[in-house]
Amino acid sequence: MSNRSSGFSSPSRPDSFLYRFGPAGLALIGAWFGFANPLAHFPPAVLLLPAALILATSRARGYGHAFRTGLLTALPGYAASLYWLAIPVHDFGGLPWALALPCPVLVGAVLAAYAGLFCMAMYVVRTRLHTPLAVLLGGLLWASLELARNHLLTGFPWITLASALAPWPATMGLAAWIGGFGLSGVVAAMGHVLASGRLRTGLAFLPLLALCLLPAYLRTPAEPAGTASVSMIQGNIDQSLKWDESLQASILSTYVKLTREAVERSAPDLVVWPETAMPIYFQDPSDFSTAVRAAVKQAGVPLLAGSPAYSVPTEPGAPQFVLHNRAYLLNRGGEVVSWYDKEHLVPFGEYVPLGEWLPFITKLVPGQFEFRPGINSAPLSSGAMAMGLLICYEAIFPELAQARVESGANVLVNISNDAWFGRSSAPLQHLHMAVLRAVEQNRAIIRATNTGVSVVIGPDGSLKGASELFATLVVHDPAVPLLTETTFYHEHMLLIHTTFPILGLVLLTLAWLKWGRKRH
């Protein structure tokens, strides 16, 4: 029996296999192949994820049912895409596989809950699901929910729809105008159109596609204020050995040797070591810290390098020490001129949320004390470079890149250590999130990692000299652009982010008043 109002054919058997598992299967295919994975990555496949949720909405029988259906539709795809979460939890968190394997499902369920909210909201326009108003509403709701995911529960804006497009930079230019969340909304609208099954509605796909493609083709590259020659050192240190005190000398020797090779071969303006490349407290005088300073002085090149650090809090009741995830900038003489402490820490990695109530949960990073976030996000300056630092996880948050550029950064630097995740999807998924930050802010990103992917990301999202995973090597770029021109998104980020939920709620309210209280 045909459902003319929705544009779909109602299944003859409500309990049929297609009815129960069809949308979930589409969402699984869309998420797995749309986002980076070890088998094959085909970015347009991600359109199937929002399309499957629209299909699920059209078959819902009430608001609660719409939420449950959306959650169950999206859960397999999200859990499969996040399978790698079980690796560090088991290998370094000490949990048996029986407890580690459910972790991707639990985190996937959190992401799927947002999909459930999407379906519940779209159920309001169930009788007009494939009108232009409904497509616009769907795009705004998706952008708003990704924005909410960026902030709620410490924030986890991983595998956003827009990040799936990173391997195709020509599709990402719109992020410079409406940001990654806005681009995700457009992608969701495209998936919505595909789900309609109607030729007339499907024609709307072409202008949406043009909206994604035209900004990159019409973009006139900004003239850089200058360029910098940069070498990134990928030390490829096994995570299980990284904090072995007997190997400290060997690890530092690896980085010093590669640095000398980089200087002899390319004479860079700056050498960058990854996050916590120095497995020592560099702030403490020791033979190791002295050797690093001497090596930098001998090489005659500034060094930006990650290291754990600590401070002694003075407030009443504070712990004896607190740790920091720090990036030091050393000048050509081996002297520390400035540093940056990571601002947005990784929950359960660098600290345990609600640790007083969850004493049985330990963090993954070794050490007796928990980390504390830094408070100074000013750029680190070396020559013509004003470097905005994003340590590891920070590259997935648009507001952090925004703050660095607002403070005067003409280039962004992302140092990371993705060795925790082995040969999984995580390093590429992480990279693809960083690509969005480059396009949003019109800044090149110097990305130095322990085991890959080390690369320079262009302001248009292109990759230059991407390294292989788990290789010991130097990535060099002789002309990293130093840019000062800002994007429309940068200038109006707060307005853009506010517009998504406000306009979405206005349209949702109007739709509910007009159609939501009507029964089929």
Side-chain angles (χ1 to χ4, degrees):
M1 175 176 172
S2 177
N3 182 349
R4 295 179 182 177
S5 62
S6 69
F8 289 102
S9 295
S10 300
S12 56
R13 292 177 54 198
D15 60 343
S16 68
F17 178 86
L18 179 63
Y19 183 90
R20 290 182 177 274
F21 302 105
L26 287 177
L28 175 60
I29 294 171
W32 179 255
F33 291 104
F35 299 117
N37 67 83
L39 298 180
H41 183 196
F42 184 60
V46 81
L47 296 173
L48 294 178
L49 177 55
L53 293 173
I54 294 300
L55 278 170
T57 302
S58 71
R59 296 166 176 177
R61 298 188 296 273
Y63 292 104
H65 185 246
F67 174 81
R68 293 191 300 273
T69 301
L71 187 152
L72 294 175
T73 296
L75 177 56
Y78 279 133
S81 299
L82 296 172
Y83 74 93
W84 48 266
L85 283 171
I87 298 173
V89 171
H90 171 266
D91 291 354
F92 307 106
L95 290 183
W97 281 115
L99 295 178
L101 290 176
C103 290
V105 179
L106 294 175
V107 178
V110 174
L111 304 192
Y114 288 93
L117 292 174
F118 174 79
C119 290
M120 186 169 68
M122 291 305 294
Y123 184 74
V124 171
V125 293
R126 61 196 179 281
T127 60
R128 298 290 187 277
L129 201 55
H130 302 302
T131 62
L133 176 64
V135 172
L136 174 60
L137 174 61
L140 289 168
L141 287 174
W142 194 285
S144 301
L145 289 167
E146 284 198 357
L147 178 61
R149 183 150 62 91
N150 183 68
H151 295 287
L152 298 180
L153 301 174
T154 78
F156 190 63
W158 200 274
I159 52 176
T160 59
L161 288 184
S163 69
L165 305 179
W168 294 2
T171 64
M172 303 192 71
L174 193 59
W177 293 88
I178 59 175
F181 300 138
L183 179 56
S184 288
V186 174
V187 174
M190 294 170 68
H192 190 157
V193 168
L194 286 179
S196 72
R198 294 177 173 181
L199 177 61
R200 184 174 62 180
T201 307
L203 292 176
F205 185 86
L206 297 178
L208 289 171
L209 179 61
L211 189 62
C212 288
L213 295 176
L214 285 179
Y217 285 105
L218 297 178
R219 176 180 179 271
T220 301
E223 191 67 28
T227 61
S229 174
V230 179
S231 292
M232 292 141 279
I233 310 301
Q234 184 169 302
N236 190 30
I237 307 301
D238 190 316
Q239 188 61 35
S240 64
L241 305 176
K242 184 176 177 65
W243 302 108
D244 187 334
E245 292 186 1
S246 66
L247 297 177
Q248 289 174 327
S250 174
I251 292 171
L252 291 173
S253 176
T254 296
Y255 281 104
V256 168
K257 178 183 177 183
L258 290 171
T259 297
R260 288 172 178 161
E261 292 177 2
V263 171
E264 292 173 1
R265 184 167 61 241
S266 305
D269 300 316
L270 177 74
V271 171
V272 183
W273 293 3
E275 176 189 17
T276 61
M278 296 185 286
I280 59 172
Y281 289 107
F282 184 72
Q283 68 196 88
D284 289 341
S286 67
D287 291 342
F288 295 127
S289 60
T290 299
V292 171
R293 294 172 191 270
V296 172
K297 184 176 182 179
Q298 183 181 20
V301 61
L303 171 69
L304 180 69
S307 168
Y310 66 89
S311 61
V312 180
T314 57
E315 64 267 24
Q320 182 181 4
F321 298 102
V322 292
L323 303 180
H324 305 283
N325 190 337
R326 181 170 292 177
Y328 287 99
L329 177 62
L330 282 65
N331 62 17
R332 296 178 186 275
E335 300 171 336
V336 175
V337 293
S338 55
W339 68 74
Y340 165 78
D341 287 338
K342 188 176 183 181
E343 177 182 343
H344 195 122
L345 303 177
V346 180
F348 304 107
E350 292 163 323
Y351 76 103
V352 178
L354 304 177
E356 295 180 3
W357 292 274
L358 302 172
F360 55 90
I361 297 180
T362 60
K363 59 187 176 66
L364 301 180
V365 177
Q368 180 181 358
F369 303 102
E370 289 199 357
F371 284 76
R372 181 169 290 186
I375 57 175
N376 180 20
S377 60
L380 307 186
S381 297
S382 178
M385 305 176 70
M387 297 174 284
L389 267 292
L390 300 168
I391 296 182
C392 191
Y393 185 67
E394 292 185 315
I396 74 174
F397 295 97
E399 68 274 11
L400 297 183
Q402 172 85 5
R404 307 299 180 263
V405 174
E406 189 68 22
S407 296
N410 56 20
V411 66
L412 297 174
V413 180
N414 177 214
I415 58 174
S416 187
N417 175 26
D418 291 343
W420 301 95
F421 311 112
R423 293 185 179 275
S424 70
S425 306
L428 282 176
Q429 290 177 1
H430 193 186
L431 170 65
H432 293 166
M433 298 297 299
V435 169
L436 281 170
R437 307 291 85 81
V439 179
E440 288 172 344
Q441 299 298 329
N442 186 43
R443 292 294 184 271
I445 298 181
I446 300 165
R447 191 167 193 268
T449 67
N450 175 23
T451 55
V453 178
S454 301
V455 67
V456 171
I457 306 171
D460 61 349
S462 59
L463 304 181
K464 298 175 65 178
S467 69
E468 296 180 1
L469 289 176
F470 294 95
T472 305
L473 47 76
V474 177
V475 174
H476 179 76
D477 191 318
V480 177
L482 308 178
L483 295 158
T484 57
E485 183 178 315
T486 55
T487 63
F488 181 87
Y489 174 74
H490 175 86
E491 296 294 333
H492 304 284
M493 185 185 80
L494 182 59
L495 175 63
I496 292 168
H497 283 187
T498 304
T499 298
F500 296 147
I502 290 179
L503 185 55
L505 286 173
V506 168
L507 291 180
L508 186 63
T509 301
L510 293 175
W512 185 80
L513 291 173
K514 185 173 183 180
W515 298 308
R517 289 181 289 185
K518 296 180 181 179
R519 301 296 179 186
H520 289 297

